[in-house]
Amino acid sequence: MLKLFGALLIFSACTLFGFYKSYELKSRTEALKDICSGLDLMSIQINSGQELPYILKRCFKECPDIICNGDKVTVDSGRLKSTDAEPLKKLFLTIGQSNSENELKKISFCKAETEKNLRLSETAYNEGAKLRQSLGICAGLALGIMVI
């Protein structure tokens, strides 16, 4: 009975780990979509003449990966890879230091990089999500059978 319980516990742990790894891919894709929509809104708002802290808070309020504290913007790379966060960090370091035309160029460049990373993330999710789930289940079954 104890072996059966151990096998069930191992199977559950491996299966949940596979689903967790699949969820990580999905959450990265969702974060990049939120950032892209925030950058779109930011490019529209930049010409409105409003203050930069207000624009940043308004544009990225739906995105938990970008934290706006006044003029200071922090990119939390919990769900993002370093290649995803790097263009955003460069943008937020230099935002508000030039005229609106140059700001729009910076935003469009950052949006292009983020969209490229989004396409890569969607491809990785489509190819790897089911694989990681199945691998977790199969590894759990194999280890569970070995315990019995």
Side-chain angles (χ1 to χ4, degrees), residues 96-114:
Q97 297 177 356
S98 60
N99 61 6
S100 61
E101 193 173 303
N102 286 337
E103 297 294 337
L104 290 174
K105 288 179 185 177
K106 291 177 193 176
I107 293 169
S108 65
F109 175 74
C110 183
K111 185 172 184 313
E113 289 291 316
T114 305

Side-chain angles (χ1 to χ4, degrees), residues 18-58:
F19 277 86
Y20 172 74
K21 287 297 184 182
S22 173
Y23 174 74
E24 282 181 346
L25 290 175
K26 182 179 180 182
S27 67
R28 176 179 173 229
T29 303
E30 289 173 352
L32 289 171
K33 284 180 183 178
D34 290 343
I35 290 170
C36 280
S37 64
L39 289 171
D40 279 339
L41 188 59
M42 188 174 164
S43 64
I44 293 169
Q45 292 288 320
I46 210 83
N47 285 328
S48 67
Q50 297 172 346
E51 293 184 13
L52 186 62
Y54 175 75
I55 292 173
L56 291 172
K57 281 185 180 179
R58 186 170 182 201

Side-chain angles (χ1 to χ4, degrees), residues 2 35 40 58 73 87 90 107 116 137 141 144:
L2 190 59
I35 290 170
D40 279 339
R58 186 170 182 201
V73 179
K90 287 180 183 176
I107 293 169
K116 181 183 82 169
I137 292 171
L141 282 174

Side-chain angles (χ1 to χ4, degrees), residues 57-80:
K57 281 185 180 179
R58 186 170 182 201
C59 294
F60 295 108
K61 68 181 176 184
E62 298 294 323
C63 185
D65 299 300
I66 297 178
I67 302 159
C68 303
N69 293 326
D71 285 338
K72 186 177 179 185
V73 179
T74 308
V75 179
D76 178 27
S77 51
R79 297 191 299 173
L80 302 174

Side-chain angles (χ1 to χ4, degrees), residues 18-32 79 81 84 117-118 120-133:
F19 277 86
Y20 172 74
K21 287 297 184 182
S22 173
Y23 174 74
E24 282 181 346
L25 290 175
K26 182 179 180 182
S27 67
R28 176 179 173 229
T29 303
E30 289 173 352
L32 289 171
R79 297 191 299 173
K81 288 186 174 181
D84 301 334
N117 290 335
L118 175 62
L120 292 173
S121 174
E122 287 175 339
T123 303
Y125 175 70
N126 291 335
E127 293 175 356
K130 292 288 184 187
L131 174 70
R132 289 181 178 165
Q133 292 171 0

